[in-house]
């Protein structure tokens, strides 16, 4: 049996050949926004170029759902038609925002690519938002066009959209695509560091922040995935060629307004000719397993909550999932025990399970732990991926030695431009020489990353990042509430749930049911606390007046 030590020379030889001088993925140091950063020398410059290149994949599957199958050729025609309609009918031009507020569906993807071909900015709005949050998002990004499905259109009733063209997924998009079928694919003359996408991530200020990604960011993700495919191909003893379509078939189960599904699945797979099998609706193990069996899915990146529900499924053996040979956990921390249970139960997890660490601001993974990494160190998150520089720094911004805890900081071509129209938040997150302060804490040991703590106040519920401040500000508006603090409560399936310690006013009467209903009208369901403690005792605070959360319990 080949040991990891025996295999290392072969791995090094392949990586050197692919990324060294003259290699397909040759790495060179170039100026990126005033800072020298390692990038791939041979790269595209605009995301829209990928659409035109996808013509080569013809009749192959690109998007597959439970009841639809869309080829690359049909997708290209639909993108050209919608892009033309957005330009000619609604005046969408370079730099304009086109917001998408819809559940996962092929039209979401078509709208994204149509926007990119015009040099406009695609905005992925959280489809779980309630009207109050939707209104904030629209006021923040100021789109010229909003593409919305019927369920979310019903939430716009009391929101002023008079300055926005609203197009429906079910009616307007099919009509516009049909009317412009056969149109020539538009092309925009833009630069690689121009903005491409806005995705929203929660912020400690209590309001979602718009992470602004450039064309460089997305194309760097594409090339990273291409490199990974090439490395696997060469390792298997075959010769990699860009002109050969990938036979891999990927199951998409996370929302398209996440980097996991958009940046790291839908976008790179257009470039490689792979199929994207799109799960729709609330996650249910039977449905996912049926799709894997029917579509011969080869790769799946799941959030830990989904993996836990697979473990709870009592009859997985009746499904043929033998095609699945790539399985990754992403979007939220997963325990060593969970990984062990997955390997014990599922053959596809025994030799293929990988873990990773990343965040929206970085477009893709920062570090990836391979099966070999996890075998050596079950708590590891692996080594930084290609072109990523990672340092652990002290509170003064100085790099600390291996084994010493500090803040995880990263610099790479994947790091966002900044937060949309928020100079203060951008300056707080990104240094002048383009290092991103993640706000997470960890150590580097033998070159591999291990997290020691998430952002101090962050609650991670089923893969969703929740910051307490937004919920606290909402509850503080209730007339019976004097002050409150929101904390995470451990949950075996979701990782954490939201708990609230509420200090009521002395002369007021309020129940947890009252507060739950109040919050549900103003916040997405996953942010509404499920655990409550109502008291008249003041919250503990430090010398500067900040609430001390560490000792709070529900």
């Amino acid at each position: 049996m080949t040991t990891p030590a025996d295999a290392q020379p072969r791995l090094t030889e392949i990586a050197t050949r692919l990324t060294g001088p003259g290699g397909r993925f040759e790495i060179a140091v170039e100026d990126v926004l005033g800072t020298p950063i390692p990038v791939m020398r041979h790269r595209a410059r605009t995301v829209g170029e990928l659409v035109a290149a996808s013509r080569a994949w013809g009749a192959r599957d690109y998007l597959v759902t439970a009841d639809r199958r869309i080829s690359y050729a049909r997708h290209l025609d639909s993108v050209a038609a919608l892009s033309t309609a957005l330009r000619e009918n609604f005046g969408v031009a370079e730099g304009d925002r086109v917001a998408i507020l819809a559940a996962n569906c092929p039209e979401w993807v078509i709208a994204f690519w149509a926007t990119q071909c015009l040099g406009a900015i695609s905005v992925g709005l959280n489809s779980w938002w309630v009207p109050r949050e939707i209104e904030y998002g629209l006021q923040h990004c100021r789109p010229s066009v909003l593409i919305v499905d019927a369920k979310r259109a019903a939430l716009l009733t009391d929101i002023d959209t008079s300055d926005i063209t609203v197009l429906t997924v079910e009616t307007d998009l099919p009509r516009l695509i049909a009317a412009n079928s056969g149109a020539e694919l538009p092309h925009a003359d833009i630069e690689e560091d121009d903005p491409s996408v806005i995705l929203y991530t929660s912020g400690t200020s209590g309001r979602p922040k718009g992470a602004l990604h450039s064309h460089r960011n997305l194309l760097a993700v594409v090339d990273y995935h291409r490199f990974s495919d090439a490395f696997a191909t060469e390792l298997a003893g075959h010769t990699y060629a860009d002109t050969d379509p990938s036979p891999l078939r990927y199951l998409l189960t996370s929302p398209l307004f996440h980097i996991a599904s958009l940046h790291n699945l839908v976008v790179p797979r257009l470039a490689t000719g792979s199929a994207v099998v799109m799960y729709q609706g609330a996650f249910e193990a039977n449905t996912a397993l049926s799709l894997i069996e029917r579509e011969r899915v080869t790769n799946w990146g799941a959030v830990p909550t989904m993996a836990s529900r697979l473990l709870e499924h009592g009859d997985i053996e009746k499904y043929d999932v033998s095609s699945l040979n790539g399985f990754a956990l992403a979007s939220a921390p997963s325990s060593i025990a969970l990984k062990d249970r997955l390997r014990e139960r599922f053959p596809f997890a025994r030799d293929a399970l990988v873990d990773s660490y990343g965040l929206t601001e970085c477009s893709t993974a920062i570090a990836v732990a391979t099966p070999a990494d996890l075998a050596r160190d079950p708590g590891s998150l692996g080594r930084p991926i290609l072109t990523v520089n990672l340092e652990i720094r002290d509170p003064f911004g100085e790099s600390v030695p291996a084994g010493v805890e500090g803040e995880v900081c990263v610099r790479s071509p994947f790091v966002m431009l900044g937060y949309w129209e928020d100079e203060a938040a951008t300056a707080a997150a990104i240094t002048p020489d383009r290092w991103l302060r993640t706000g997470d804490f960890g150590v580097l040991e033998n070159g591999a990353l291990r997290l020691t703590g998430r952002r101090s106040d962050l609650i991670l519920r089923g893969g969703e990042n929740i910051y307490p401040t937004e919920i606290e500000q909402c509850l503080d508006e209730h007339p019976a509430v004097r002050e409150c603090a929101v904390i995470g409560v451990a949950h075996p399936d979701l990782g954490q749930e939201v708990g609230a310690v509420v200090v009521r006013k002395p002369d007021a009467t309020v129940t947890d049911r009252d507060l739950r209903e109040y919050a549900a009208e103003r916040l997405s369901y996953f942010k509404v606390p499920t655990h409550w403690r109502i008291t008249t005792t003041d919250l503990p605070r430090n010398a500067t007046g900040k609430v001390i959360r560490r000792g709070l319990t529900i």
Side-chain angles (χ1 to χ4, degrees), residues 296-367:
R296 307 303 296 156
V297 167
T298 60
N299 296 69
W300 180 24
V303 300
T305 300
M306 295 173 186
S308 295
R309 291 176 184 169
L310 276 189
L311 288 169
E312 296 167 1
H313 193 280
D315 201 16
I316 190 174
E317 287 74 19
K318 76 176 186 180
Y319 297 96
D320 178 5
V321 296
S322 59
S323 61
L324 192 61
N325 52 41
F327 185 59
L329 294 174
S331 302
S334 54
S335 67
I336 295 172
L338 173 62
K339 297 186 187 77
D340 287 341
R341 291 198 301 272
L342 289 168
R343 293 189 195 96
E344 290 169 6
R345 180 76 190 281
F346 305 127
F348 58 76
R350 286 169 197 158
D351 298 317
L353 179 63
V354 301
D355 203 353
S356 62
Y357 164 67
L359 58 162
T360 302
E361 289 86 346
C362 277
S363 308
T364 189
I366 292 171

Side-chain angles (χ1 to χ4, degrees), residues 195-372:
S196 170
V197 181
I198 297 172
L199 295 183
Y200 281 88
T201 180
S202 297
T204 53
S205 65
R207 289 288 199 179
K209 292 183 291 189
L212 181 63
H213 298 131
S214 66
H215 289 261
R216 182 194 297 276
N217 294 154
L218 267 70
L219 291 169
V221 175
V222 169
D223 282 335
Y224 165 66
H225 284 279
R226 277 176 162 158
F227 166 78
S228 298
D229 288 354
F231 190 91
T233 299
E234 298 280 341
L235 188 60
H238 306 295
T239 301
Y240 173 81
D242 281 346
T243 53
D244 295 334
S246 167
L248 302 179
R249 300 176 71 81
Y250 290 78
L251 181 64
L252 183 158
T253 50
S254 295
L256 282 163
F257 54 80
H258 278 189
I259 61 168
S261 288
L262 184 60
H263 294 32
N264 290 275
L265 213 172
V266 160
V267 172
R269 294 310 146 198
L270 186 88
T272 63
S274 307
V276 176
V277 181
M278 186 180 297
Y279 188 103
Q280 295 178 284
F283 183 82
E284 202 277 326
N286 279 324
T287 306
L289 292 167
S290 295
L291 275 174
I292 292 171
E293 179 181 61
R294 190 191 80 180
E295 295 300 327
R296 307 303 296 156
V297 167
T298 60
N299 296 69
W300 180 24
V303 300
T305 300
M306 295 173 186
S308 295
R309 291 176 184 169
L310 276 189
L311 288 169
E312 296 167 1
H313 193 280
D315 201 16
I316 190 174
E317 287 74 19
K318 76 176 186 180
Y319 297 96
D320 178 5
V321 296
S322 59
S323 61
L324 192 61
N325 52 41
F327 185 59
L329 294 174
S331 302
S334 54
S335 67
I336 295 172
L338 173 62
K339 297 186 187 77
D340 287 341
R341 291 198 301 272
L342 289 168
R343 293 189 195 96
E344 290 169 6
R345 180 76 190 281
F346 305 127
F348 58 76
R350 286 169 197 158
D351 298 317
L353 179 63
V354 301
D355 203 353
S356 62
Y357 164 67
L359 58 162
T360 302
E361 289 86 346
C362 277
S363 308
T364 189
I366 292 171
V368 173
T370 67

Side-chain angles (χ1 to χ4, degrees), residues 99-104 108 123-131 133-135 137-138 141 146 148-149 152 155 198-202 208 255-258 463-466 470 523-527:
I100 309 170
L101 179 64
N104 286 1
W108 205 113
V123 184
L125 298 177
N126 191 319
S127 63
W128 296 343
W129 278 350
V130 297
E133 295 164 309
I134 295 170
E135 183 173 29
L138 294 176
C141 71
L146 171 63
V148 61
D149 61 19
R152 281 83 194 171
L155 302 178
I198 297 172
L199 295 183
Y200 281 88
T201 180
S202 297
L256 282 163
F257 54 80
H258 278 189
E464 286 296 323
N465 293 350
I466 302 170
E470 180 183 12
L523 298 170
S524 300
Y525 79 91
F526 61 90
K527 300 177 185 176

Side-chain angles (χ1 to χ4, degrees), residues 400-535:
V400 300
V404 177
E405 181 183 88
E407 183 178 12
V408 180
C409 296
V410 61
R411 184 167 71 181
S412 75
F414 306 120
V415 172
M416 65 175 182
L417 293 170
Y419 293 112
W420 174 255
E421 295 191 343
D422 194 335
E423 293 183 5
T426 298
I430 301 177
T431 67
D433 56 350
R434 298 294 299 166
W435 282 93
L436 174 73
R437 304 182 182 100
T438 68
D440 292 332
F441 294 86
V443 296
L444 278 175
E445 298 169 331
N446 299 316
L449 174 67
R450 179 169 55 84
L451 287 187
T452 56
R454 301 293 291 184
R455 297 172 183 125
S456 58
D457 296 338
L458 185 66
I459 298 170
L460 286 161
R461 181 193 182 279
E464 286 296 323
N465 293 350
I466 302 170
Y467 280 91
T469 304
E470 180 183 12
I471 304 169
E472 291 166 352
Q473 290 176 348
C474 172
L475 294 175
D476 283 344
E477 295 176 7
H478 191 285
V481 174
R482 184 156 62 87
E483 62 176 351
C484 67
V486 170
I487 59 176
V489 179
H491 188 277
D493 183 23
L494 297 170
Q496 288 181 304
E497 287 187 308
V498 181
V501 180
V502 176
V503 181
R504 65 172 175 82
K505 294 177 181 177
D507 57 348
T509 300
V510 69
T511 67
D512 56 359
R513 179 177 179 178
D514 297 332
L515 294 171
R516 189 179 297 111
E517 291 176 351
Y518 181 84
E521 294 176 357
R522 294 162 172 80
L523 298 170
S524 300
Y525 79 91
F526 61 90
K527 300 177 185 176
V528 176
T530 52
H531 299 267
W532 299 84
R533 178 159 68 87
I534 300 174
T535 180

Side-chain angles (χ1 to χ4, degrees), residues 81-102:
L82 182 58
S83 188
T84 298
L86 290 175
R87 181 188 62 194
E88 301 300 327
N89 297 19
F90 309 109
V92 175
E94 296 172 16
D96 289 342
R97 274 76 63 206
V98 175
I100 309 170
L101 179 64

